Every structure is written in C-alpha cells, then in structure tokens.
Amino acid sequence: MENKNSTNKKIEEFSSALPFVNEKFVELFENFYNQLTELNKISTIGPFISLMNDPQINLNNMREYGNVLINYQIFLNKYLTQMINSYFQALERVSSNIQEKTTEEARKLIINSFEDVFSKMFESAEFSINYNNLINVIIDLNKSYQKFVDASSPLLNRQSLSKEEKDLLFNNLYEIKKLTLEIKNKINERKND
C-alpha cells in the first residue's frame, strides 16, 4: 500500500512538472523500465547488458553518432550536387553544339565537353574542400561507430575470456542444450500420445 502511494506521489510530481504527460503514459513508462530492469538481471553475452548498465554513455555515443551522420549527409549532398551540376553543364554544352555534326564529331564533342567540365570541377577549390570534408566525415563516422560498438560490447572486445568465464559459459550452454533436448522430448511424447 505504501509502495503504491509513493508511486502515485511520483506520478503526480512528474505530471505536475510536465502537464502534457498523463498517468497512463507514466504507468506504461514505469512498466517498460521495470521490464528492462528485469531483462538486465538476466545473465547474457552481448551488447544489451552494456546498453542498460550505463545508458548515459551510450546516449552520448548515439548523439555523437547522429551528429556525424547529419554532417555526412550535408557533405554528401554538396558533393553530389557538384557532380550533378557538372553533368548537366556538360549535357548543355553538348546539346547546344551537336547540330549538324557527324557521328565522329559528335562523339569527340561529347568526350571533350564532359572532360572539360569535370576537369574544371575536379580542379576547383570548392570541390577539393567538399571532397576533403566528405572523406573526413566518413572517417569520423567510422570512428564514431567503432566507439559506439566498443562501448556497447565490452565483453566482446577483450582478447580472451578467463578460464572461469569459459567454464561458466560452457556450463550455461550445456544446461541450455540439456533443457532444449528435454523440451523436444516432451513435445515428441505429446505428439505421439
């Protein structure tokens, strides 16, 4: 009874701080959090436990990764815009000069137009800056992703497990395999009955 009163008091405090949050939302969120806490108590290998143990570090890593993704999108858009604009410039140059040309002259015109336009683009300072920014943000993206993975799975980053950890792991795997076999046998028995 006392626990429910303290929970109701917390809900009222939370609801008064944020008037748009109702009791149903708070109750659903508490249930979700309690379920995650229970899942966290289960002994497993993988990133889930690490994600739950220190969510602030992981949220910061995800925020950083999101910012890098946004920068990547910005620089990729600039790069692609330059490429597309150059392509259309070359097409415009070809279309304005192709009238009454033989096929050989038209072929040379197309090659020369595209070569000139793209050479100017590749030699421009703007393209160099955009391309450099794109490459740097790709490197940052890889570093950020690696940092997130490293923080999410500390158990997998170690070189090797200790003998006790290996024994415990194999013992747990053996128990799981044994339980699975028992379940399969019971299912087969029920099917035969």
Side-chain angles (χ1 to χ4, degrees), residues 70-181:
I70 290 169
N71 288 335
Y72 170 73
Q73 186 65 46
I74 290 168
F75 293 126
L76 181 63
N77 286 344
K78 288 180 179 181
Y79 172 80
L80 291 176
T81 300
Q82 281 186 309
M83 295 296 278
I84 291 168
N85 287 341
S86 296
Y87 179 77
F88 283 122
Q89 279 180 340
L91 283 179
E92 185 179 320
R93 192 180 285 185
V94 168
S95 66
S96 66
N97 296 325
I98 203 160
Q99 291 84 11
E100 299 179 13
K101 301 266 184 187
T102 65
T103 54
E104 185 62 27
E105 290 173 337
R107 187 180 72 78
K108 286 181 183 179
L109 174 69
I110 292 170
I111 291 171
N112 290 336
S113 296
F114 275 87
E115 184 178 339
D116 290 342
V117 169
F118 277 93
S119 293
K120 285 179 186 172
M121 182 198 68
F122 290 138
E123 292 171 356
S124 72
E126 183 183 356
F127 178 80
S128 297
I129 291 169
N130 284 339
Y131 187 73
N132 185 38
N133 288 337
L134 181 62
I135 295 300
N136 286 335
V137 81
I138 288 172
I139 292 169
D140 291 344
L141 193 64
N142 287 333
K143 285 181 184 177
S144 179
Y145 180 73
Q146 188 62 44
K147 183 178 177 183
F148 179 71
V149 169
D150 290 347
S152 298
S153 56
L155 186 67
L156 300 177
N157 291 333
R158 290 194 276 174
Q159 293 296 325
S160 63
L161 298 172
S162 69
K163 183 182 180 332
E164 293 81 22
E165 289 172 326
K166 288 178 185 175
D167 289 342
L168 182 63
L169 178 64
F170 286 121
N171 186 31
N172 288 341
L173 288 173
Y174 172 75
E175 291 295 324
I176 290 170
K177 200 170 189 179
K178 190 168 104 177
L179 285 171
T180 305
L181 186 61

Side-chain angles (χ1 to χ4, degrees), residues 27-81:
E27 184 179 323
L28 287 172
F29 185 76
E30 283 180 346
N31 286 338
F32 176 72
Y33 183 76
N34 290 336
Q35 289 172 0
L36 287 179
T37 305
E38 290 299 317
L39 279 173
N40 193 29
K41 293 178 184 176
I42 298 172
S43 174
T44 62
I45 294 178
F48 186 73
I49 285 184
S50 174
L51 287 170
M52 289 304 299
N53 285 339
D54 198 353
Q56 188 60 39
I57 289 174
N58 291 307
L59 284 175
N60 290 338
N61 288 342
M62 288 180 72
R63 187 178 302 122
E64 177 186 327
Y65 188 63
N67 290 336
V68 173
L69 276 174
I70 290 169
N71 288 335
Y72 170 73
Q73 186 65 46
I74 290 168
F75 293 126
L76 181 63
N77 286 344
K78 288 180 179 181
Y79 172 80
L80 291 176
T81 300

